[in-house]
Amino acid sequence: MNIKLLNKISAHGTERFDRKKYVVSDAVENADAIMVRSASMHDMTFDSSLRAIARAGAGVNNIPVEKCAEKGIVVFNTPGANANAVKELTVAALLLASRDIYAGVQWASTLTENVAATVEKGKSKFAGVELRGKTLGVIGLGAIGVLVANAAVSLGAIGGMVANTALELGMKVIGFDPFMSVDAAWRLSSAVEKAVNFDEIYERSDYITLHVPATKETKGMINSETIAKMKNGVRIVNIARADLVNEADIKAAIDQGKVAKYVVDFPTEATVGVPGIITIPHLGASTEESEDNCAVMAADQLIDYLENGNIKNSVNYPTVVLDRGNCSRICLLHKNIPAMISSVATKLAGRGLNIEHMQNASKGEYAYTVVDVDEKIPDDIVNDCLAIDGMIRVFAINN
């Protein structure tokens, strides 16, 4: 099978592919799967052979997800693989929003004579505020948001040292996520208070940090209306997505003194060089460890799908994971419509195939069904299933 690389992918990930089974290169044609980081795929034409795309990262705004779903191309991402890297940058951003470190460093780099004396005389104009005791509002409590919330309460003891030598931010933390998972809830510190809605975050927080995807509901969620609900002098950190914040409204709020600082990991023409805005050059996941983790996770998900038909962490098809036995497997991607399972069962029964195991799940308009049978699956059965109304793609994995 052919795996096409659209960006430089960590060797820790590409080495997961058995070279007896896979060709992995940026030059392959008729790809069975694609690994990508930031390359835009919206104008690409997809070969009929393409079955999956794995994004080595969490965001998939560079991939035409709906177009892929319509063609039966499963799009994977790697949630949580870069979470620690983003958490660490968020902590740094909170400090940048508090202390005028950035402007101070720029000023200090211009000094050439009587440096020590000049520093002592001029440092007061870069004074800031401390994080300890302030209230941090965390919007989005997924893999990253939970880590940030827990870190802001306390970064924990260092090794076995006593508590009073621990590195602690010591903030009061409130968080809100309308779609918080059970797993995230288990990992969230009991010291983090759960807000009842976004408005409570806006009204109570001295600092607000964003950790949600860019969707129809979240794009522009920080705007003149929501900023008006915030405290005067609020400091906002956005290491998630540029378009969560309305740039014109945040600039106006900074000019008016409503927002004291805005730290964003996505520089644009509208935000670079603006007083009160600190632009970081998209460094959220830019660590060696994060790139390795994302590449490994993406590769493993592709391998499990191509070899076993299992789907985990897809953004356009549901999670379906079924252990492989000695059976052959038929994998069916289809519209989420009534009578699909019975139609498939009828086709298989008509060919004398006995169903050993079956699993089905849906995600919005689309569904995925995996069926294990006790003998080899010939091509004509695949074609029979493809003829079912609402079927998008069918492939067999024979033992």
Side-chain angles (χ1 to χ4, degrees), residues 228-246:
K229 300 175 183 178
M230 299 176 190
K231 291 183 177 182
N232 293 332
V234 65
R235 299 163 196 264
I236 300 173
V237 170
N238 179 11
I239 313 294
R241 284 290 175 267
D243 47 8
L244 298 177
V245 176
N246 182 296

Side-chain angles (χ1 to χ4, degrees), residues 70 80 82 89 101 103 122 183 202 205 228 290 375 399:
E70 293 169 355
N82 61 9
L89 189 67
I101 301 167
D183 181 60
Y202 300 145
S205 301
S290 173
E375 54 187 270
N399 278 339

Side-chain angles (χ1 to χ4, degrees), residues 357-376:
H357 309 99
M358 176 186 288
Q359 191 171 137
N360 165 268
S362 62
K363 189 170 192 170
E365 297 180 40
Y366 299 95
Y368 183 55
T369 303
V370 170
V371 182
D372 286 349
V373 298
D374 54 5
E375 54 187 270
K376 184 177 180 180

Side-chain angles (χ1 to χ4, degrees), residues 245-266:
V245 176
N246 182 296
E247 292 178 335
D249 290 353
I250 196 79
K251 288 168 69 175
I254 288 172
D255 287 342
Q256 296 158 8
K258 179 71 175 182
V259 174
K261 277 286 193 298
Y262 175 49
V263 184
V264 59
D265 197 28
F266 308 92

